[in-house]
Amino acid sequence: FIACLACAWHALVRAQRSGTAHLPDDDDAALVRKYFSRNTNKAKVKAWLERDKAVTFPPKVKPPLLQGQATGLFSTRTPHRPNPIGLTLARLEAVEASRRRLIVSGIDLCDATPILDIKPFVPGDVPQFAPQFASWVGSENHKLWKVQFTENALAQLGALVSSGATKFFRTADELTLAIEQVLCLDVRAVHQGRGSASAGSEEPVMHQCVVDGVQVHMLLDGSERQAQVESACAYDSSLLPPV
């Protein structure tokens, strides 16, 4: 199964020290710099930062879209890198200066991810040329999955939202959309079949993930690129340990 603590579609970034957020009222985008706090190689990164000469990072990695082939680490967005820092372009929904917080959406980070910095998105950040992308980024393997929900799952999701089980989503429609946006990207790990060159011959397999405090059980069919949400319940860490 998968233990995926998914990001919130409409989330909160909170300042950690006293002060007031000074942002123009007409700004609607921000660059958010983050730390990949849920990586599984923290000990290795710590040793590398302490200049342990015995620690090295592989120059190449195997992204799922390359189906087993390798490419340079810095040509990918793998979080397992020497400096585990990422950058996200987020939409700025609101500024609550008195409470020292920003409301942002469109982010790709987990709840409680440490935020290192926030910068405005300015005209100079918009490319003045037509960017070109590696062919494998736009390959067939990058197509979004089709996501379906059983009637039972929809009823359970609605009940969970009504009971206050969610932190970020206030309606069943919002939660359902967030789950769909997560599952359409194929959330399996590589060792679970994602990016497999033999895709097409695999049988549907039950997986589970966590989205905003809701444990989602879904049937994933890699050959058809389809995910069907079968059921949902409140997150139980004894059944699905946190990452």
Side-chain angles (χ1 to χ4, degrees), residues 82-122:
N83 291 314
I85 297 173
L87 186 67
T88 292
L89 177 61
R91 183 176 185 126
L92 184 59
E93 302 285 354
V95 178
E96 298 182 357
S98 62
R99 303 181 67 182
R100 296 186 292 112
R101 67 182 190 180
L102 309 176
I103 306 297
V104 297
S105 64
I107 57 177
D108 61 344
L109 43 87
C110 298
D111 184 24
T113 294
I115 302 301
L116 305 179
D117 193 16
I118 300 173
K119 287 183 170 65
F121 185 74
V122 299

Side-chain angles (χ1 to χ4, degrees), residues 128-149:
Q128 302 301 310
F129 58 92
Q132 295 186 10
F133 305 96
S135 59
W136 60 270
V137 175
S139 69
E140 288 290 310
N141 298 313
H142 200 55
K143 286 185 176 180
L144 300 181
W145 282 34
K146 181 180 180 181
V147 181
Q148 298 177 325
F149 295 80

